[in-house]
Amino acid sequence: MKIIEFLRNSFRVKRSIKKEAVDKLISVSTPDGEFLILLLLSVLIITVGLVLDNIFLVIGGMMVTPLLYPVLATGLGIAITDWKLLNRSLGGFTFSCLVAIVSSFLLARFFFAVTEISTSMINSIEPRPAYFVIAILAGVAATITWVRPNLSAALPGVGVTATLVPPLATAGISLALADWVFLRSSLALFGLSFIGIVIPSAAIFFWLKFEEVEKQVEESIEEEQKRLEG
């Protein structure tokens, strides 16, 4: 019990910081024009990296992806049992995933010959217990980083460990190759990573008592909706 209390005190977050974190998270997790441009750039870079078997391009693409944000927003929605936030986050996340798969498919299908596509890195995109553990650690790191402004500079590095976009890019490439084994493996890894990130994220938001700012969540969602409609 003393250890739990020590950890709680060490990661105590002021109400004002919680409000700021919620505002920013809802804003950056909205699949608007800027979000989709970053997502497309990320997916296309990663797709080229997978096709050419270039790990540096894959890592570079993972550094700019915004796909981690709606996953954290989903974790927040679960933690405070806000169905409106959950529906919004999961809806935007699902749409973003479809955009990622389609864009990767189009790039692989129409800009590369089948013989140009290397399958060595694609073969590594398969569900393994180690990836689930990594996803959990990434979920913990991403959530703590998000609610502590002084650690925000580390978030892109956390995004590299969160295996979200490479499996989606692999799914698009698999469709272009009509390889259903690769497709199943990539989607299974993606699902494993999503669950692995959401669970610790929701647990940490709950542990830090983010239900205190549930009203702020509702206000932030309404403001974002007005911004999109305006």
Side-chain angles (χ1 to χ4, degrees):
M1 293 298 293
K2 289 184 178 180
I3 294 177
I4 294 176
E5 190 61 30
F6 171 76
L7 291 173
R8 188 184 292 276
N9 290 333
S10 298
F11 290 99
R12 193 177 298 277
V13 179
K14 294 180 180 179
R15 189 184 182 93
S16 59
I17 294 179
K18 291 179 183 178
K19 288 183 177 181
E20 183 181 343
V22 163
D23 265 341
K24 189 176 179 182
L25 182 57
I26 290 175
S27 175
V28 297
S29 64
T30 301
D32 54 12
E34 293 178 356
F35 181 99
L36 292 176
I37 288 173
L38 284 176
L39 178 63
L40 281 172
L41 289 173
S42 171
V43 172
L44 296 179
I45 292 171
I46 290 173
T47 300
V48 173
L50 290 171
V51 167
L52 301 181
D53 196 21
N54 188 319
I55 187 62
F56 299 108
L57 289 177
V58 174
I59 293 174
M62 292 170 74
M63 290 285 286
V64 299
T65 181
L67 201 58
L68 184 60
Y69 303 139
V71 181
L72 294 180
T74 299
L76 176 61
I78 294 172
I80 65 176
T81 60
D82 189 311
W83 298 108
K84 187 174 182 180
L85 176 58
L86 263 177
N87 290 333
R88 177 183 183 276
S89 301
L90 288 175
F93 182 70
T94 302
F95 173 72
S96 300
C97 292
L98 291 175
V99 169
I101 292 173
V102 170
S103 58
S104 178
F105 164 76
L106 292 175
L107 181 64
R109 178 68 178 82
F110 296 106
F111 288 89
F112 292 97
V114 173
T115 53
E116 290 182 287
I117 299 179
S118 170
T119 58
S120 59
M121 286 188 66
I122 297 174
N123 271 320
S124 67
I125 304 294
E126 60 181 24
R128 299 175 185 172
Y131 285 135
F132 186 64
V133 174
I134 291 171
I136 291 174
L137 296 176
V140 172
T143 309
I144 291 175
T145 300
W146 189 261
V147 300
R148 300 300 290 264
N150 59 311
L151 300 176
S152 60
L155 196 59
V158 175
V160 171
T161 66
T163 312
L164 290 170
V165 183
L168 292 177
T170 302
I173 296 170
S174 300
L175 288 173
L177 295 172
D179 191 316
W180 313 121
V181 174
F182 282 162
L183 179 63
R184 286 194 298 269
S185 294
S186 59
L187 292 179
L189 175 57
F190 173 76
L192 204 64
S193 298
F194 174 74
I195 294 171
I197 295 170
V198 165
I199 290 174
S201 176
I204 292 173
F205 280 128
F206 179 80
W207 184 47
L208 294 176
K209 298 182 178 180
F210 263 72
E211 71 273 6
E212 295 176 344
V213 292
E214 186 172 1
K215 185 177 179 182
Q216 183 68 32
V217 171
E218 299 298 325
E219 292 176 356
S220 297
I221 291 175
E222 290 178 5
E223 289 177 7
E224 272 300 294
Q225 191 61 37
K226 289 178 182 178
R227 182 181 70 82
L228 293 175
E229 293 174 353

